[in-house]
């Protein structure tokens, strides 16, 4: 789906530029996001956002004018009816939908195939655009990202630091017809002094070259499956309610029976127990994301010994909390 790409300096720059482009291309201002999804710290996205906003209990950030978020419409993830309802109530006013194709900022929440296919269909029916925020999923759950994994072709896609080997970089891109709206080809302005800087590009090229090596994603999936299944088994053996899953190198779990298909489900998890578990893992020498609402990521650099050490630590901590 990437016929043309524009480099920027972060995932936030990528998503705010993509929204500006959706508005410019369609001539509409309203857009749909999903509760618990995080698309960077641009004002219009800080409505029922995930990631650190959610962790710190800031449902809407101070300093964001009400007028800025009036065009932000919020639907429920994995609930196509909630999306259709918004289109019905705002006929001809919605420029598009932006979403994490696999949620990582409310914890790990995969979509249903039907949900993603439905979003593609409803946007086409309403003359709106579909944007995948692949800052987390891009080149991680597949070389072609979530769009390759699920076989869905969005109109626009956004990427973050993974394409620069962890250095400050981002990108957005999509169909040439849409991207030609961006200056200097078209009238929609976007620029950045450090966009596409040589250091980040060199690191990114090497990272993508490594990922293209035979067996890379098979290794990621195997390692991740071993880790998350080991953690879940340890939790259940100790009598805790836990559920979770993975796709390739992306994983997560919740302190509840599940299933978790949306942010609303995720909030029913035992956050106090997670806090005790996280502290216990730190004491065992294992540093995980310090939030119930963050997905985990496997690396090719992690060894089998690293994984087994983590599982053994999890067994000890589950037993004492």
């Amino acid at each position: 789906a990437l016929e043309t790409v524009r480099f920027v300096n972060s995932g936030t720059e990528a998503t705010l530029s993509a929204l500006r482009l959706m508005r410019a291309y369609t001539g509409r201002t309203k857009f749909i996001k999903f509760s618990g999804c995080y698309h960077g710290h641009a004002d219009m996205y800080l409505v029922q956002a995930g990631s650190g906003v959610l962790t710190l209990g800031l449902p809407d950030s101070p300093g964001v004018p009400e007028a800025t978020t009036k065009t932000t419409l919020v639907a429920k993830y994995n609930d196509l009816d909630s999306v259709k309802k918004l289109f019905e109530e705002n006929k001809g006013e919605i420029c598009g939908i932006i979403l994490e194709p696999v949620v990582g900022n409310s914890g790990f929440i995969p979509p249903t195939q039907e949900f993603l296919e439905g979003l593609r269909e409803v946007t086409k029916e309403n003359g709106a655009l579909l944007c995948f925020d692949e800052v987390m999923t891009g080149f991680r759950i597949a070389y072609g990202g979530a769009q390759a994994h699920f076989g869905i072709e969005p109109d626009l896609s956004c990427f973050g630091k993974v394409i620069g080997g962890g250095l400050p970089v981002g990108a957005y891109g999509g169909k040439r017809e849409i991207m030609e709206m961006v200056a200097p080809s078209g009238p929609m302005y976007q620029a950045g002094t450090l966009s596409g800087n040589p250091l980040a590009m060199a690191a990114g090229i090497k990272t993508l070259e490594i990922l293209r090596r035979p067996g890379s994603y098979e290794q990621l999936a195997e390692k991740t499956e071993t880790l998350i299944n080991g953690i879940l088994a340890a939790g259940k053996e100790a009598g805790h309610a836990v559920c979770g899953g993975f796709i390739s190198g992306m994983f997560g779990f919740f302190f509840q029976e599940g299933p978790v298909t949306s942010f609303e489900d995720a909030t029913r998890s035992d956050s106090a127990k997670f806090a005790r578990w996280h502290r216990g893992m730190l004491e065992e020498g294992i540093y995980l994301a310090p939030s119930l609402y963050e997905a985990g990521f496997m690396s090719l650099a992690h060894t089998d010994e690293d994984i087994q050490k983590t599982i053994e630590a999890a067994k000890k901590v589950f037993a004492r909390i």
Side-chain angles (χ1 to χ4, degrees):
L2 294 176
E3 296 175 351
T4 304
V5 176
R6 176 65 70 96
F7 287 104
V8 290
N9 296 295
S10 67
T12 291
E13 283 191 26
T15 56
L16 70 86
S17 300
L19 177 56
R20 183 183 299 162
L21 178 54
M22 286 196 289
R23 287 169 163 168
Y25 183 77
T26 63
R28 304 170 181 177
T29 57
K30 293 182 179 179
F31 73 100
I32 296 174
K33 69 178 292 289
F34 294 90
S35 55
C37 284
Y38 179 74
H39 303 292
H41 63 268
D43 286 1
M44 58 279 191
Y45 289 129
L46 293 180
V47 179
Q48 297 185 40
S51 191
V53 179
L54 183 56
T55 302
L56 298 173
L58 303 172
D60 300 296
S61 178
V64 176
E66 182 182 349
T68 305
T69 58
K70 277 187 175 179
T71 56
T72 305
L73 308 176
V74 182
K76 182 180 179 181
Y77 198 80
N78 272 324
D79 185 343
L80 193 58
D81 286 339
S82 70
V83 177
K84 291 180 177 178
K85 184 172 183 289
L86 288 174
F87 272 106
E88 185 64 29
E89 293 172 347
N90 300 272
K91 284 185 177 295
E93 297 181 88
I94 298 173
C95 68
I97 296 173
I98 185 168
L99 78 154
E100 296 179 66
V102 178
V103 177
N105 285 294
S106 298
F108 173 78
I109 305 175
T112 64
Q113 185 70 32
E114 295 74 19
F115 176 64
L116 293 184
E117 290 175 355
L119 294 181
R120 179 66 286 184
E121 183 178 339
V122 74
T123 48
K124 285 184 176 180
E125 289 175 352
N126 287 275
L129 302 180
L130 179 63
C131 179
F132 276 11
D133 179 350
E134 298 236 38
V135 166
M136 283 193 175
T137 53
F139 299 97
R140 178 169 277 123
I141 69 171
Y143 194 79
Q147 54 201 269
H149 180 84
F150 293 102
I152 305 293
E153 186 173 300
D155 299 296
L156 294 170
S157 305
C158 299
F159 303 92
K161 62 188 74 67
V162 69
I163 64 169
L167 290 177
V169 67
Y172 67 103
K175 297 177 180 177
R176 186 178 304 278
E177 176 190 355
I178 301 171
M179 291 297 293
E180 285 180 346
M181 286 289 297
V182 183
S185 298
M188 191 214 88
Y189 187 71
Q190 178 269 310
T193 303
L194 295 175
S195 297
N197 71 84
L199 183 60
M201 296 298 98
I205 289 169
K206 189 60 181 179
T207 299
L208 301 188
E209 183 270 312
I210 292 171
L211 290 174
R212 287 189 73 115
R213 293 175 185 173
S216 291
Y217 287 95
E218 289 78 5
Q219 286 184 57
L220 279 174
E222 183 179 345
K223 291 172 185 283
T224 311
E225 183 176 22
T226 300
L227 176 64
I228 189 60
N229 286 347
I231 290 175
L232 292 173
K236 291 174 182 177
E237 286 170 10
H240 299 286
V242 290
C243 67
F246 77 101
I247 299 176
S248 188
M250 186 175 180
F251 67 93
F253 76 98
F254 297 94
F255 278 96
Q256 62 163 290
E257 293 290 349
V260 176
T261 62
S262 66
F263 161 68
E264 289 75 11
D265 292 339
T267 59
R268 291 193 282 270
S269 299
D270 190 333
S271 57
K273 183 178 286 188
F274 171 82
R276 295 196 301 274
W277 187 79
H278 185 271
R279 171 56 61 180
M281 292 296 282
L282 279 176
E283 293 169 353
E284 295 294 330
I286 306 297
Y287 182 45
L288 297 155
S291 171
L292 176 68
Y293 301 112
E294 294 285 351
F297 306 114
M298 181 62 68
S299 166
L300 290 172
H302 286 116
T303 65
D304 292 340
E305 290 74 19
D306 294 330
I307 294 168
Q308 289 306 316
K309 179 182 178 181
T310 303
I311 294 171
E312 290 305 313
K315 289 179 180 178
K316 293 179 184 178
V317 177
F318 276 126
R320 66 175 186 252
I321 64 169

